Amino acid sequence: MRIATTVFLTDRTVSPVRLARSLEERGFSGLYLPEHTHIPVSRDTPAPMGGELPEMYGRTLDPFVALGQAAAVTERLHLGTGITLVAQHDPIGLAKQVATLDHLSGGRFTLGIGYGWNVEEAADHGVEWRTRRDLVRDRMALMRALWAPEPTAYVGQYCSVRASSAHPKPVRAPRELDPGSPLYGPRTLIGGAAGPKLFAAIADHADGWLPIGGGGLTESLPVLRQVWETAGRDPKSLRVVPYAVHPTPGKLAHYADLGIEEVVLQLPSAPEPEILRALDEFARYL
């Protein structure tokens, strides 16, 4: 099982360069970074974990800039977002960012995407909350048109693009993993809680699932696999990566029994000495 990590990197934590080097030196497989552009001070949306929202949410570094630094100082470390708030981006610009990072890292990038939880943050980006899932699907389709080998036009409900020259292209297409997939671009995983809407979206326009916290997989995995196969996807190509996990030996053994090949452990949002202590603690799982 590959052991990757995630952390809220901020202007008060370890730097992306120091963290990436420390991860690769110890043999961890990857680094995934979350995204928040800003956190409106006045909001009605409750914190996802309950209580007060930790300060790190409003201090988060831009994941693409930080992962670009990480890519430049490593050779094997896989890089990912957990997650990119697609609805809050211009899709043409985001497609360029993703393809550039994947190209410069030699195909080491995983695009984790999601729908978000902060209504006020999304509203400042002009996102209508009730239609955000359809918006994300539309924007992903546009991005895949730009990643296609030949100039490809896309006209959707919320966005469109002319057939265009758009380079660089992502290094690895999911078609290499699933010959029946119509999807172009890097490995794409959708984060979120188990449910019919999420599983339908994963089977429609992604390569797998980032289940936050990794709980309840015994019950939810068979359901997702059924939805996946019903959509005509190759059963062997589905990727499920438990995300932001607080590990125990029993938990990781359970994931292995379920056939899971990668897990992302949660690091504290902290200065370098505390991060290094956490890495040394997690190293026993490598």
Side-chain angles (χ1 to χ4, degrees):
M1 182 181 292
R2 299 186 302 278
I3 306 295
T5 60
T6 185
V7 62
F8 277 84
L9 288 182
T10 77
D11 55 335
R12 294 179 174 177
T13 67
V14 64
S15 74
V17 167
R18 292 291 296 165
L19 176 57
R21 285 174 170 160
S22 297
L23 289 168
E24 188 161 85
E25 288 168 358
R26 287 165 171 77
F28 288 91
S29 68
L31 171 64
Y32 290 73
L33 297 181
E35 176 180 52
H36 282 286
T37 53
H38 67 300
I39 301 294
V41 174
S42 176
R43 60 184 172 82
D44 296 322
T45 309
M49 73 295 293
E52 291 295 318
L53 187 69
E55 183 185 42
M56 62 191 182
Y57 279 79
R59 307 191 76 101
T60 307
L61 300 184
D62 177 272
F64 289 94
V65 175
L67 290 171
Q69 284 199 334
V73 297
T74 56
E75 295 180 353
R76 302 176 304 279
L77 191 73
H78 287 263
L79 312 162
T81 52
I83 47 79
T84 298
L85 297 164
V86 175
Q88 298 181 186
H89 285 266
D90 168 72
I92 298 174
L94 181 58
K96 176 69 77 172
Q97 287 178 282
V98 169
T100 299
L101 181 54
D102 196 51
H103 168 73
L104 293 177
S105 67
R108 289 185 278 151
F109 182 65
T110 290
L111 177 62
I113 68 172
Y115 306 108
W117 59 268
N118 192 326
V119 177
E120 290 78 16
E121 177 185 358
D124 283 349
H125 288 277
V127 176
E128 186 176 348
W129 193 249
R130 65 179 182 84
T131 60
R132 72 193 189 284
R133 290 175 182 267
D134 293 335
L135 176 63
V136 168
R137 183 184 187 279
D138 214 18
R139 290 185 171 175
M140 287 302 303
L142 182 151
M143 291 163 62
R144 295 195 190 282
L146 291 172
W147 294 334
E150 301 298 331
T152 303
Y154 177 76
V155 177
Q157 181 179 358
Y158 299 98
C159 56
S160 62
V161 68
R162 297 173 176 85
S164 303
S165 173
H167 294 267
K169 301 296 184 184
V171 174
R172 183 186 64 183
R175 288 175 182 229
E176 298 173 11
L177 300 175
D178 181 357
S181 171
L183 308 179
Y184 293 104
R187 183 176 72 157
T188 300
L189 307 175
I190 303 182
K197 289 183 179 180
L198 183 75
F199 288 174
I202 291 170
D204 178 69
H205 56 269
D207 304 293
W209 182 26
L210 282 174
I212 311 301
L217 292 180
T218 301
E219 296 77 23
S220 57
L221 265 182
V223 178
L224 173 57
R225 286 173 175 147
Q226 182 60 53
V227 173
W228 183 265
E229 293 180 36
T230 299
R233 305 294 297 273
D234 181 353
K236 296 179 181 179
S237 71
L238 176 62
R239 299 292 181 261
V240 177
V241 182
Y243 186 80
V245 170
H246 297 280
T248 65
K251 187 182 293 186
L252 297 188
H254 176 58
Y255 292 157
D257 290 341
L258 293 173
I260 287 170
E261 299 176 347
E262 179 183 4
V263 62
V264 182
L265 307 186
Q266 179 70 63
L267 289 169
S269 181
E272 187 172 335
E274 187 175 343
I275 288 283
L276 295 182
R277 285 194 296 271
L279 290 182
D280 290 337
E281 173 67 21
F282 286 168
R284 64 191 175 118
Y285 298 115
L286 295 174

